[in-house]
Amino acid sequence: MEAIKDLGIALVAKLEKASLLWIEGFREACCLHRVIVFYFRSKKLLIRTGQCFLLNGFIFLGSIFILNSVIIPTLQWILPDDCSQFDSQELCSFDGLLKFYSFLRFGLIKLFYITWFYPLYALSIILSALWYNDIAKYGFEAAQKSGPVKVDPVGQEEKLTLQNTGHERRRDGLGGIMIVIGEQLYSILLLSFFFIEVSVTGFVPYIGTALNFLHVSWMYAYFCFEYKWNLHNVDLDKRLNFFESNWAFFLGFGCPCALPVLFCSSFVSSGVMAMLYPLFVLTASNSEAEKVISSQTIKWGDARLGRLPIFYVADALSMKILSFLPSEPHEQLQDNKVE
């Protein structure tokens, strides 16, 4: 009985710490006012962000609005599905007329999706991905004008050690090239499998919506901070360790961007998140997440929150595929993960 009581006390303490970190992460994400000054410093940044808002907000979401508010009601008026809408009741005497109208209306709506909506959706994904990189780069340059942005997810002493030994991990010649290719391929596979995992969680019975929201929040939080870590050359294994060790903070950071998942359809939520995502990327680049997390964990002493293996499934699948590569880069990746 005493053991159960101690376990309950420990669980409550963990939940309290997780809640505090979640609040800090949510607060950091909502500090959008920090990025306003960036737009005064960089005209290129303002143009790229404006393009994202124009494509995803005005054109993409506007197309959804026109479809639901204009096209579908017009088709239902021209091709009604109820006899009460006919001017002449004699038309109802024709067998299959309503079914034909329904089929024709369905086909015209699908034609709109195929010829306009789906190509626009694909174009939005491609262009937005390119623009996000520019936004992160221009935001980083704008932040540098007010002083260097600090990022230290691994600890200063450990980072210096990594910098000194980083070249030892890679060998010259073909072996070194293969290791670099293996690391890049591992990163692509990891994030691709995690994206698939995020999509699959939505189909889990009863708790699918909640699981999907959690994973979408973590996904957007990681992508937002990844630009910052890339620009500061933080190793992938250190990013994952820092992210999973502070999962509650990043869950809180990703929640504001993922909220449309709970209240909008899939296409609408995609458009809203694509429109707002640049702002969260800039917020992450100007965030002092490491300092905020450190200020909380110092209060706890040695009682850490604990690492949550968010990327466990994606990591296992990625390493399985990489096992078919030549042994040297695969073994090097394994060694980096152990370290």
Side-chain angles (χ1 to χ4, degrees), residues 69-110:
S69 302
V70 179
I71 296 178
I72 292 179
T74 301
L75 289 176
Q76 288 178 337
W77 177 67
I78 297 175
L79 304 170
D81 53 4
D82 189 354
C83 284
S84 62
Q85 296 178 268
F86 287 109
D87 295 332
S88 175
Q89 295 299 319
E90 295 180 359
L91 293 175
C92 286
S93 61
F94 293 99
D95 294 335
L97 181 62
L98 293 180
K99 292 182 179 179
F100 174 74
Y101 279 180
S102 177
F103 174 79
L104 186 59
R105 187 173 62 250
F106 175 81
L108 291 173
I109 293 174
K110 286 301 179 183

Side-chain angles (χ1 to χ4, degrees), residues 93-318:
S93 61
F94 293 99
D95 294 335
L97 181 62
L98 293 180
K99 292 182 179 179
F100 174 74
Y101 279 180
S102 177
F103 174 79
L104 186 59
R105 187 173 62 250
F106 175 81
L108 291 173
I109 293 174
K110 286 301 179 183
L111 183 63
F112 177 84
Y113 272 90
I114 294 172
T115 59
W116 173 255
F117 199 68
Y118 289 143
L120 179 62
Y121 183 67
L123 181 65
S124 172
I125 293 175
I126 295 172
L127 289 180
S128 295
L130 297 175
W131 291 341
Y132 294 153
N133 285 317
D134 290 341
I135 288 171
K137 181 179 69 175
Y138 297 147
F140 178 77
E141 294 173 353
Q144 291 294 317
K145 294 181 180 180
S146 61
V149 181
K150 297 181 179 179
V151 56
D152 189 17
V154 297
Q156 187 62 30
E157 294 182 1
E158 186 178 358
K159 188 173 183 179
L160 291 174
T161 302
L162 287 172
Q163 290 174 345
N164 294 331
T165 60
H167 298 288
E168 297 178 4
R169 293 179 178 178
R170 297 176 173 84
R171 300 178 183 177
D172 295 332
L174 183 59
I177 295 175
M178 290 298 297
I179 292 172
V180 172
I181 293 175
E183 290 177 348
Q184 293 297 323
L185 182 58
Y186 169 73
S187 176
I188 295 172
L189 288 173
L190 180 79
L191 297 179
S192 298
F193 280 126
F194 186 71
F195 180 79
I196 295 173
E197 181 183 345
V198 171
S199 302
V200 170
T201 54
F203 298 97
V204 177
Y206 304 111
I207 59 173
T209 301
L211 281 177
N212 183 253
F213 178 75
L214 292 176
H215 282 77
V216 169
S217 298
W218 278 319
M219 181 182 69
Y220 273 97
Y222 183 86
F223 286 158
C224 286
F225 278 90
E226 186 184 32
Y227 294 101
K228 179 180 181 180
W229 293 333
N230 277 335
L231 292 169
H232 288 84
N233 298 316
V234 180
D235 291 340
L236 177 62
D237 55 326
K238 301 304 175 185
R239 302 180 199 179
L240 298 178
N241 179 63
F242 181 70
F243 190 90
E244 292 184 335
S245 298
N246 301 284
W247 54 270
F249 174 88
F250 291 105
L251 177 62
F253 188 94
C255 277
C257 194
L259 281 176
V261 172
L262 296 178
F263 304 105
C264 305
S265 64
S266 58
F267 279 121
V268 174
S269 63
S270 297
V272 173
M273 288 189 291
M275 183 176 61
L276 297 179
Y277 181 65
L279 300 179
F280 290 103
V281 169
L282 294 175
T283 304
S285 67
N286 195 40
S287 170
E288 296 183 346
E290 298 77 22
K291 182 178 178 180
V292 173
I293 294 172
S294 178
S295 65
Q296 287 292 330
T297 54
I298 288 176
K299 301 176 184 177
W300 304 337
D302 295 331
R304 300 290 177 173
L305 183 59
R307 182 172 178 174
L308 184 66
I310 300 170
F311 297 97
Y312 176 80
V313 175
D315 173 70
L317 293 173
S318 300

